[in-house]
Structures are given as structure tokens and as C-alpha cells.
Amino acid sequence: MGMGSEIRENIAKRAAQEIDNGMIVNLGIGIPSLVPNYLKNKPQVMIQAENGILGIGPTPLQGEEEETLCNAAGYPVTLEKGASYFDTATAFGMIRRGCIDLTILGSLQVSENGDLANWIVPGKRVPGMGGAMELAGKAKKVIVVMNHVNKNGDPKILTSCTLPLTSKQCVDLIITDMAVIEVHETGLILKEVMAPFTVQDVMKSTGAKLEIGMNL
């Protein structure tokens, strides 16, 4: 099912809470790209993009876009003080060397052990996996933001992914329109429930076993 702009913004705002000042962060397309709008009190965060930028700022106001300045998905961005440009090889070198503290990615499915499937639905044409495989495997922490269920109402958090994997056992935290779920070595832990949903709503919409967090 679709997701309204207010819900998307709320997910991005919650994801921003996981970012500490001083981190180098890479953001996927979609909801993750909204996260810089909620980092005004964290001036030392540096957002990195695979096309060769370090220091991405909030989304520009309509009419104030710079046509030559965009993120890896081609969407307009702004720059923070101290930002820098470099080539794509350097950008991926940062990723492969483990310099990214946190990446926030969208996803099609996540399994109970943290497997990530976010690059292709069989039978549909896509340009390729992009940097998701590298980020999922090399970032120090991986957060997934997404709808809790797909457009047919089926769970996207499953015992095992049914779509082709991007990377195995890489996801640390899942933030959806319904809940915040931690991927632990013993399984999935429900940490927060988003209004107006209940614990029962989340359990019903999840295709894997959930443990209730002690501080829920």
C-alpha cells in the first residue's frame, strides 16, 4: 500500500534520531533522502553520496535547486559548510574501507536474521543493484526504513526473504510506519510502536516472530 508524505517524514525524523554528531552517513533513495531535513541540531554529521559528495544538507526549497548539484539518485540537494567533491572511485573507496558509520536504506524485504532484499523484484527491469550491496556489507550500522507491509498488505518483515538478497545478516534496525524493530542475534525485538497502531497490529502485520522489548 502507498505511504503519505506525512508518514514518510515521520519515518525519516525517527531515523534521524539514530544519527550521532560526528558520524559519516550514507542515505539511500526515497525516505532516507529526507533524513538531512532533521539534522539541524547535529552540525557535525557529514552525509556522503556515491556520486562523490561529502556534506549533503537539507532538501533545497522549490525554485532554489542547483541543477548541477544532486545526490546519487539524481535528486537536488544542498551542501553544508565544509562539504567536498570527489570522484565515484573515491566515494566507493570510502565505503569499501569501512569509513561509513551508518547507512539508511529502503527495502523490499528484511528477514528475522537481518538479511536484506532491496534491489529487484523478479521480472521487472532495473538498472542494477547500485551501491546497496557495498553499503550493506561495509557500513558499521545498517538501518532499513520502509512500509511494514507491501501494496498487497503482505508482510515485508519475514522469517526468510523470498526476493533475491542484497546482503546477508546486515540489518541492525528496522523503522517502518508501524514500528521500530531491532535485529538481534536471538531474533527480532519490538522496541517502539508508532501511533495509532497497537502491539497486536504490528504482530499481525509481521511475518516473523517478534519479542516484546522490555522498555516498549
Side-chain angles (χ1 to χ4, degrees):
M1 62 181 61
M3 183 186 296
S5 60
E6 182 177 355
I7 296 174
R8 291 164 57 86
E9 295 285 352
N10 286 339
I11 293 175
K13 184 185 298 184
R14 177 59 186 82
Q17 296 177 22
E18 298 296 317
I19 300 175
D20 295 326
N21 220 359
M23 279 186 169
I24 297 177
V25 180
N26 184 290
L27 303 173
I29 63 174
I31 297 173
S33 66
L34 302 174
V35 170
N37 298 335
Y38 301 101
L39 297 175
K40 293 180 181 179
N41 61 338
K42 300 176 182 179
Q44 295 178 1
V45 172
M46 298 295 280
I47 305 297
Q48 189 252 24
E50 298 101 303
N51 59 325
I53 305 175
L54 183 65
I56 289 176
T59 303
L61 297 174
Q62 188 171 2
E64 297 184 6
E65 301 90 347
E66 168 56 58
E67 64 180 15
T68 60
L69 183 58
C70 64
N71 60 20
Y75 293 104
V77 296
T78 60
L79 296 180
E80 296 285 8
K81 183 178 180 180
S84 59
Y85 301 108
F86 36 85
D87 59 27
T88 298
T90 301
F92 274 92
M94 293 174 65
I95 295 169
R96 292 167 183 168
R97 192 173 176 84
C99 297
I100 306 301
D101 296 301
L102 171 67
T103 186
I104 303 176
L105 303 170
S107 187
L108 298 169
Q109 293 178 344
V110 178
S111 76
E112 64 181 5
N113 65 346
D115 294 343
L116 174 68
N118 78 337
W119 77 281
I120 189 172
V121 175
K124 293 193 176 182
R125 297 184 65 182
V126 294
M129 188 178 289
M133 180 176 65
E134 314 255 6
L135 288 162
K138 291 296 185 178
K140 296 172 185 175
K141 183 176 182 179
V142 177
I143 295 176
V144 162
V145 292
M146 64 179 187
N147 293 63
H148 207 93
V149 299
N150 64 23
K151 63 181 180 181
N152 298 318
D154 301 319
K156 295 175 66 172
I157 302 172
L158 305 165
T159 301
S160 299
C161 294
T162 60
L163 296 174
L165 295 184
T166 306
S167 185
K168 292 184 177 181
Q169 296 182 306
C170 61
V171 179
D172 298 291
L173 190 71
I174 307 166
I175 301 174
T176 75
D177 52 325
M178 297 182 71
V180 178
I181 298 171
E182 182 180 292
V183 183
H184 195 265
E185 58 184 10
T186 59
L188 300 176
I189 301 175
L190 180 59
K191 308 290 288 186
E192 301 173 27
V193 176
M194 305 296 198
F197 300 103
T198 65
V199 171
Q200 290 72 28
D201 293 331
V202 176
M203 302 285 277
K204 184 179 179 180
S205 298
T206 304
K209 183 179 178 181
L210 281 179
E211 178 184 339
I212 307 300
M214 293 180 62
N215 297 319
L216 178 65

